[in-house]
Amino acid sequence: MSNLLEEIGLGRERIEMVNVSSAMAVQFAEAVENVTQRVRELGPNPLQATRGSDNEE
Amino acid sequence: MIVGERKPLSEIMELLGGAQKVLVAGCGTCVTVCFAGGEKEVGILASELRMKSKLDDHAMDVEEATVQRQCEWEYIDPLRERLDGFDVVLSLACGIGVQAMNERFPGVITLPGINTTSLSLPVEQGVWEERCQACGDCLLGTTFGICPIARCSKQLLNGPCGGSQEGICEVDSDTPCAWQLIWDRAIEFDQVRRLLDIQAPKNWSQSRDGGLRKIVREDLQLESE
Amino acid sequence: MSDGPKSEMPFDPKIVAFCCRHCAYAAADLAGAMRLHYPHSVRIVDVPCSGRVDPLEMLRAFERGVDGLLVAG
Ligand code: SF4
Ligand code: SF4
């Protein structure tokens, strides 16, 4: 899956997979924090910008 | 089954050139079960193409269609109506399907999205191993059910060669020596005698070397007039 | 769920989290109950098993403009 993202040019860092049990609330919150932080550095999904211009056609 | 492998996205993008409207066409038979060109792979590729082309600043209009079998007229005929307005069809079927599409619908070019690789056996989940090369004159009856054409690196008819090492082929250390397997079976069935005669050269005229192969079954043909 | 006007504010990535109903979804629930802080921009999708999530769904999410994905199970 990350290879697919890389191939498309979105960047493999946009996806995170974690293993948490139902008791691992802290780890879950950390995982959300991690991926959010990483994606924030990468910037918005570049497809969003083009989506707007498509609608104008 | 016929086994294939998706081409890299970059190669597909290059094949498509400046196409605006693309129909990705899958096949519901062999390439579905080897996860190369079924409905799901069609969805994945179509999605990839839409995103990649947008990011490359020439958004393509990509639609999806999967038929039960792309190598039979009956199954592809319903696609005729769908082809209107498409610049190109990208087929995820084997080479037979791609050619069937081009022959049936000559007005639009159908391009291959996978590499058709082999006639293989899914030996375990996610692993396909070649078992037959459609040589046209099957030897399995004399080789204890193990094909030396597909599975011996040198296609020997009298083996093994001197490079067979402890059951492993000298050409590739991951591959068992086909002839060791054949001998093992012969010993198991106590029929080693059958391997002692030297096999004469094989009749390759029934294989690719004889040109295009074609089977005509008059008993099955519809009567002409 | 609007993106809001584009401003110089640090951008708030839209993250979709596919969560296994029995593990991660329950963990998210617990995180809520424990009042843990985590980014509010995450959208949680409850799936019967995280093995259910296949590349096609993930690609579709990106196609629709999601910024990042979390698969948790
Ligand atoms: S001997 Fe020929 S037909 Fe038989 S399995 Fe091998 S390649 Fe196929
Ligand atoms: S080692 Fe066995 S399989 Fe390999 S080329 Fe020699 S006979 Fe064929």
Side-chain angles (χ1 to χ4, degrees):
Chain A
M1 181 62 208
S2 42
N3 289 341
L4 286 181
L5 290 182
E6 200 64 27
E7 227 185 9
I8 297 165
L10 286 171
R12 61 172 77 242
E13 298 85 3
R14 286 187 189 275
I15 187 160
E16 167 138 343
M17 310 221 185
V18 288
N19 232 317
V20 294
S21 82
S22 58
M24 292 161 78
V26 177
Q27 287 83 344
F28 176 80
E30 271 170 9
V32 175
E33 186 63 60
N34 279 347
V35 64
T36 306
Q37 194 49 45
R38 224 170 42 223
V39 172
R40 189 172 283 139
E41 278 157 24
L42 280 174
N45 177 344
L47 288 162
Q48 263 173 17
T50 47
R51 191 175 49 183
S53 57
D54 268 0
N55 294 342
E56 285 158 24
E57 289 178 3
Chain B
M1 69 178 82
I2 295 176
V3 167
E5 232 179 344
R6 235 286 301 281
K7 283 178 180 287
L9 188 60
S10 55
E11 183 183 345
I12 292 177
M13 291 297 289
E14 201 163 308
L15 279 174
L16 288 173
Q20 279 301 314
K21 209 162 175 248
V22 179
L23 182 68
V24 182
C27 171
T29 310
C30 302
V31 291
T32 290
V33 278
C34 71
F35 303 93
E39 198 171 352
K40 189 154 128 192
E41 291 75 28
V42 165
I44 290 172
L45 178 59
S47 179
E48 280 187 90
L49 287 173
R50 281 191 288 265
M51 290 196 264
K52 179 80 180 146
S53 63
K54 259 188 208 173
L55 292 176
D56 289 355
D57 261 347
H58 85 94
M60 292 189 293
D61 191 352
V62 185
E63 287 185 30
E64 307 165 21
T66 300
V67 295
Q68 184 56 39
R69 266 213 282 290
Q70 226 181 86
C71 59
E72 282 195 60
W73 305 140
E74 287 84 343
Y75 290 100
I76 58 175
D77 279 344
L79 284 179
R80 192 182 299 274
E81 289 112 69
R82 293 251 0 228
L83 295 179
D84 254 2
F86 283 96
D87 300 328
V88 79
V89 176
L90 183 68
S91 165
L92 293 192
C94 73
I96 309 170
V98 177
Q99 294 183 64
M101 290 289 291
N102 278 300
E103 282 176 52
R104 200 61 162 180
F105 310 121
V108 50
I109 289 191
T110 297
L111 299 168
I114 71 170
N115 294 320
T116 306
T117 57
S118 54
L119 303 178
S120 290
L121 176 73
V123 285
E124 58 181 274
Q125 176 75 19
V127 180
W128 290 266
E129 228 176 65
E130 185 164 25
R131 285 291 181 269
C132 174
Q133 292 196 350
C135 76
D137 181 19
C138 193
L139 300 170
L140 290 174
T142 54
T143 56
F144 296 88
I146 292 149
C147 172
I149 306 302
R151 299 177 67 182
C152 165
S153 307
K154 298 171 190 166
Q155 300 192 329
L156 298 179
L157 296 183
N158 299 283
C161 73
S164 180
Q165 296 284 323
E166 287 166 20
I168 302 297
C169 172
E170 69 169 343
V171 174
D172 175 7
S173 57
D174 285 337
T175 307
C177 166
W179 273 102
Q180 180 72 53
L181 297 175
I182 294 169
W183 275 89
D184 288 348
R185 292 267 289 170
I187 292 164
E188 190 184 332
F189 286 90
D190 201 15
Q191 295 181 21
V192 168
R193 256 162 292 110
R194 292 180 50 197
L195 292 179
L196 296 179
D197 295 331
I198 303 290
Q199 295 300 313
K202 184 172 159 58
N203 175 6
W204 286 103
S205 71
Q206 292 173 54
S207 183
R208 270 298 305 147
D209 312 66
L212 178 74
R213 291 177 283 177
K214 181 171 171 177
I215 294 173
V216 180
R217 286 272 304 269
E218 280 170 11
D219 56 330
L220 293 176
Q221 286 184 297
L222 298 179
E223 231 145 334
S224 45
E225 267 110 296
Chain C
M1 290 242 273
S2 89
D3 294 324
K6 290 256 182 298
S7 66
E8 54 292 331
M9 287 286 288
F11 117 95
D12 233 352
K14 199 188 285 173
I15 308 286
V16 167
F18 289 104
C19 293
C20 159
R21 183 169 306 158
H22 308 283
C23 325
Y25 192 76
D29 223 15
L30 184 61
M34 288 166 67
R35 312 241 178 277
L36 290 176
H37 284 278
Y38 61 87
H40 60 273
S41 53
V42 66
R43 270 65 161 180
I44 294 183
V45 180
D46 153 33
V47 288
C49 166
S50 50
R52 167 68 186 81
V53 186
D54 75 37
L56 188 52
E57 273 134 25
M58 301 195 227
L59 289 177
R60 290 271 146 89
F62 282 113
E63 236 185 289
R64 293 190 186 149
V66 156
D67 297 306
L69 281 188
L70 175 67
V71 182

